[in-house]
Amino acid sequence: MPFARIDLIKGKHADYRAKVADIVYAGIVNVLKAPDGDRFIVVNEHAPENLIYDRHFLGMDRSPDFILIQVTSTVGNTKELKFAFYRQIADELNSKLGVRPDDIMINMVFVNKEDWSFGKGQPW
């Protein structure tokens, strides 16, 4: 099911990082319709020189608060659900943490069930 990676520049407090993960998880369950409890998220912090992004690509005005979110999933792969997920995450990050919409980039990767092993070397 979904696995999320969240990349940001070092310096945010643990409660901020946890809240970002909570917001992404809520979107995975409530919008993409993953089962509750399917929570696998990695938050990576990077030195500024190791999170490389174009501040103005596609007309954005990105700041050092830039967050890159990547979700690998087997659920929520309709165009409508993807777009609803993007909107939900951007709205929640903005309203709950003050993250500017220009600072949120989301990438979705969809795979088949056979692309997962949840443990014991067994396929899903």
Side-chain angles (χ1 to χ4, degrees):
M1 302 295 229
F3 168 67
R5 291 182 52 105
I6 301 166
D7 292 278
L8 45 87
I9 293 176
K10 281 183 184 178
K12 298 295 185 188
H13 295 283
D15 57 334
Y16 177 94
R17 296 188 311 269
K19 189 64 175 174
V20 172
D22 289 346
I23 289 167
V24 171
Y25 175 69
I28 287 171
V29 171
N30 298 329
V31 179
L32 299 181
K33 305 301 182 196
D36 193 22
D38 188 359
R39 185 178 173 111
F40 298 92
I41 300 171
V42 174
V43 178
N44 293 299
E45 294 184 280
H46 304 276
E49 64 271 14
N50 291 330
L51 185 59
I52 301 163
Y53 57 93
D54 187 310
R55 290 185 56 134
H56 303 292
F57 184 69
L58 294 177
M60 301 298 160
D61 182 26
R62 295 178 183 90
S63 77
D65 290 327
F66 177 69
I67 299 173
L68 176 58
I69 300 164
Q70 183 177 58
V71 177
T72 302
S73 183
T74 59
V75 298
N77 62 358
T78 68
K79 182 168 70 169
E80 293 76 22
L81 286 176
K82 291 175 191 177
F83 291 177
F85 179 74
Y86 303 155
R87 180 83 270 137
Q88 174 79 16
I89 299 305
D91 289 348
E92 291 292 299
L93 287 173
N94 181 257
S95 69
K96 294 183 175 167
L97 293 173
V99 180
R100 298 167 50 250
D102 281 9
D103 285 329
I104 303 164
M105 182 174 169
I106 303 171
N107 171 247
M108 305 280 299
V109 178
F110 290 93
V111 298
N112 297 315
K113 285 185 175 183
E114 63 266 20
D115 296 320
W116 296 93
S117 172
F118 287 96
K120 299 182 181 179
Q122 299 294 314
W124 180 25

